[in-house]
């Protein structure tokens, strides 16, 4: 099933599926308790991020090609950081470049397969890990590189947590439609120019391995989003470097899920 979270004509936030011609079949329930069909259609005035995550766990350097372009060795264990759940925005929402990230420009895009967990998970064995997955969506792990490095004192969380730095969507696709999360092409275009063009088969740690690793002695809550890392082609490793600017358009696509589009705007001020 391809689930959307949306605003209807009355301003109510609902879940639905079978989105076409500006309408969706309404689902009752929620991500944690499950959905039941209502058989009713409602007008979709705005598609929202598929969920407001309980927590966002980010994985760094999880593609062989991306690790190579950064000049770093492939990590022996997953590199974990967190992103502020309040940084989530939906499809077509603007990614805002704050003044604190503009002198010099430093904000970068990262297309990622985003995994949403459906139930509490702790000490999950590898062969049961994918049973915890509610669905998959597209994520953009927007990153302020100077804040990630010098101004973050080497800790990435600060540079990845500014408001609007986590676009998610446009749809949550359940695992019956994606039996193998390691078999998906993913790409990012900036102003229609291809910047990233990778494949989840290049991940250093698979989705199942990440869930098993992250749940060791640790309770993962329902609604946890795992951003599983980005393939090569990020802006700060290009020659010359490419950073997001006011007026840019981002289109991030993951096979079998869809395309997450967000314009980029510079915040006024300072
Ligand atoms: Zn990332």
């Amino acid at each position: 099933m391809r689930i959307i979270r949306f605003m209807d004509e009355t301003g109510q936030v609902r879940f639905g599926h079978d989105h076409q011609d500006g309408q969706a079949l309404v689902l009752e329930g929620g991500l944690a308790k499950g959905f039941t069909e209502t058989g009713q259609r409602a007008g979709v005035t705005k598609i929202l991020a598929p969920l407001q995550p309980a927590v966002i766990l980010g994985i760094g350097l999880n593609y062989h090609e991306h690790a190579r372009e950064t000049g770093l060795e492939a990590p022996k264990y997953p590199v974990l950081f967190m992103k502020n759940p309040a940084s989530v925005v939906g499809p077509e929402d603007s990614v805002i470049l704050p003044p604190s990230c503009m002198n010099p420009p430093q904000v970068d895009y990262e297309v990622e397969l985003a995994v949403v967990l459906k139930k509490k998970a702790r000490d999950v064995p590898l062969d049961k890990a994918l049973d915890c997955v509610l669905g998959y969506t597209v994520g953009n792990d927007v990153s302020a590189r100077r804040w990630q490095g010098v101004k973050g004192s080497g800790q990435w969380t600060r540079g990845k947590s500014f408001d609007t730095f986590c676009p998610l969507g446009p749809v949550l696709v359940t695992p019956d439609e994606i039996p193998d999360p390691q078999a998906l092409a993913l790409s990012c275009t900036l102003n229609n120019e291809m910047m990233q063009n990778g494949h989840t088969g290049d991940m250093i740690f698979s989705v199942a391995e990440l869930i098993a690793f992250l749940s060791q002695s640790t309770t993962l809550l329902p609604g946890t989003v795992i951003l599983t890392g980005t393939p090569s082609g990020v802006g700060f490793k290009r020659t010359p470097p490419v950073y997001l600017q006011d007026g840019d358009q981002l289109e991030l696509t993951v096979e079998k899920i869809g395309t997450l589009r967000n314009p980029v705007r510079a915040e006024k001020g300072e």
Side-chain angles (χ1 to χ4, degrees):
M1 190 181 280
R2 301 172 64 80
I3 300 167
I4 59 166
R5 186 166 152 262
F6 67 98
M7 198 174 285
D8 70 12
E9 299 103 323
T10 68
Q12 197 184 340
V13 175
R14 316 183 87 160
F15 288 97
H17 71 118
D18 192 30
H19 178 218
Q20 50 182 319
D21 303 325
Q23 295 220 316
L25 270 173
V26 175
L27 294 168
E28 223 142 62
L31 296 175
K33 49 188 171 179
F35 292 107
T36 50
E37 300 273 0
T38 64
Q40 293 168 349
R41 288 198 160 268
V44 177
T45 56
K46 180 174 168 49
I47 298 182
L48 308 170
L51 78 162
Q52 181 54 58
V55 66
I56 304 170
L57 304 179
I59 305 298
L61 300 172
N62 197 31
Y63 282 75
H64 291 283
E65 271 300 320
H66 176 57
R68 270 194 284 277
E69 76 178 341
T70 60
L72 299 168
E73 270 184 43
K76 290 192 175 64
Y77 301 97
V79 178
L80 172 66
F81 61 91
M82 286 185 171
K83 259 174 117 74
N84 182 5
S87 66
V88 169
V89 291
E92 307 293 349
D93 287 337
S94 294
V95 170
I96 306 288
L97 307 173
S100 55
C101 295
M102 289 308 282
N103 286 314
Q106 56 174 300
V107 180
D108 208 345
Y109 51 79
E110 293 190 351
V111 61
E112 311 209 358
L113 174 66
V115 180
V116 180
L117 302 189
K118 67 179 166 190
K119 54 185 181 185
K120 243 187 204 181
R122 187 175 190 274
D123 290 326
V124 183
L126 191 58
D127 63 345
K128 297 275 188 290
L130 293 183
D131 297 347
C132 302
V133 176
L134 176 67
Y136 301 93
T137 190
V138 183
N140 188 351
D141 178 20
V142 179
S143 304
R145 298 302 183 193
R146 246 177 79 72
W147 280 103
Q148 201 178 332
V150 182
K151 293 181 88 173
S153 302
Q155 297 286 321
W156 296 0
T157 294
R158 173 65 286 195
K160 288 173 175 277
S161 288
F162 291 100
D163 287 353
T164 75
F165 273 29
C166 192
L168 292 176
V171 64
L172 186 74
V173 181
T174 51
D176 53 308
E177 297 197 18
I178 301 181
D180 182 3
Q182 309 312 134
L184 304 170
L186 74 174
S187 64
C188 169
T189 69
L190 175 63
N191 304 326
N192 292 321
E193 190 183 334
M194 183 71 81
M195 306 304 274
Q196 295 185 278
N197 191 9
H199 194 278
T200 57
D202 187 43
M203 280 186 193
I204 295 168
F205 302 102
S206 68
V207 172
E209 287 170 329
L210 290 175
I211 292 170
F213 178 85
L214 295 170
S215 70
Q216 286 176 82
S217 313
T218 301
T219 300
L220 302 178
L221 296 172
T224 292
V225 169
I226 304 171
L227 292 177
T228 55
T230 199
S232 61
V234 290
F236 83 116
K237 286 297 162 188
R238 304 183 82 89
T239 314
V242 173
Y243 293 113
L244 298 178
Q245 300 180 46
D246 186 60
D248 281 348
Q249 278 287 341
L250 285 164
E251 293 197 2
L252 282 63
T253 302
V254 178
E255 188 180 359
K256 296 190 177 177
I257 300 174
T259 298
L260 173 63
R261 294 183 181 83
N262 296 96
V264 178
R265 298 279 174 264
E267 185 181 341
K268 308 283 181 271
E270 194 165 26

